[in-house]
Structures are given as C-alpha cells and as structure tokens.
Amino acid sequence: MTNHADDNKGYVLAKDCPSREILNHLTSRWGVLVLIVLLEGRKRFGEIRKQIEGVSERMLSETLKQLEQDGMLIRQSFDTVPPHVEYYLTDLGVQAAEKVHDLVDWIETNLSIILQAKPSK
C-alpha cells in the first residue's frame, strides 16, 4: 500500500481515496456475510436472508445494492410471474469473498483463544 501518484493503485490511508468506501462495503458486518453466503453460489434474496440470521430486509437490500455498485455481484432478474431474482458473485467478488472468508475462518478457528484474551467486564 504505497502512495504513488503515477499509478492507478488506490491508497486506503488517504482520506479521499475511493478505496475506503469499497473497503467499508466489503468489510461491513452484512457485506462480509453476504460475500460468504454468495461464495456458495447463486442465491435468491430470501435464501440469503434466511442464511444470515438477524439481517433486516432493508439492510440486506442496501448491502446487495452497494456490492453490486462496487462490481462484486450481479443481480439477475428473470421475466417470470412471480418475479424471480438471483444474486451471484463476479470474478472480482469471488476474489474478495475468498479473502474475507479466510479472515472469518481464522476468527472462528481461534474464537476460544480470542474470547479468553478479552478483558473481563
């Protein structure tokens, strides 16, 4: 993460770098969970919501829209009655999902150690 003005690489530590907004979308509570769910394959809205316990319809909708705008997923509508919509990761989204999945896996694997290290209240 270097700050080179002559290349197209972002610099997340710079306050005006657009990479900060994308990082926020990818690493938000719901963003991480959506990426992990969609790493399994195509899903409908209801399937995603069912897998991610505690997410509201509004927050899931907003998260999906942000990830779509960032190029991480595709929302595919089918011309059927009733309407049928599926979401799936782009190649870029798969790369991002694999990276956050590694972090989540590390947290889950080390959860007892992490919880023991936390100061008691």
Side-chain angles (χ1 to χ4, degrees):
M1 282 196 235
T2 57
N3 188 7
H4 295 291
D6 59 346
D7 65 22
N8 291 326
K9 184 176 178 182
Y11 184 63
V12 77
L13 298 179
K15 70 177 180 151
D16 294 327
C17 184
S19 63
R20 282 193 180 187
E21 184 178 14
I22 296 165
L23 179 67
N24 184 48
H25 295 160
L26 293 178
T27 61
S28 70
R29 173 185 0 179
W30 306 121
V32 166
L33 300 178
V34 165
L35 289 171
I36 288 170
V37 167
L38 290 179
L39 197 51
E40 298 170 359
R42 288 176 173 259
K43 303 276 182 181
R44 293 179 72 167
F45 185 91
E47 293 173 303
I48 299 168
R49 185 156 184 237
K50 188 175 182 179
Q51 278 191 262
I52 303 174
E53 297 178 9
V55 67
S56 69
E57 210 169 289
R58 185 181 133 277
M59 283 308 302
L60 179 56
S61 181
E62 188 176 305
T63 301
L64 289 166
K65 189 177 293 185
Q66 289 171 341
L67 292 174
E68 181 182 19
Q69 290 171 349
D70 290 338
M72 299 299 145
L73 63 83
I74 292 174
R75 177 186 188 274
Q76 184 175 17
S77 298
F78 297 89
D79 192 17
T80 59
V81 177
H84 179 93
V85 177
E86 291 181 350
Y87 298 88
Y88 61 95
L89 295 175
T90 62
D91 290 341
L92 205 56
V94 169
Q95 291 174 40
E98 287 171 345
K99 294 195 181 303
V100 296
H101 181 269
D102 287 345
L103 176 60
V104 168
D105 184 57
W106 178 85
I107 291 169
E108 290 176 337
T109 300
N110 293 287
L111 186 59
S112 61
I113 298 165
I114 295 167
L115 292 175
Q116 287 174 1
K118 289 177 77 169
S120 27
K121 294 181 181 181

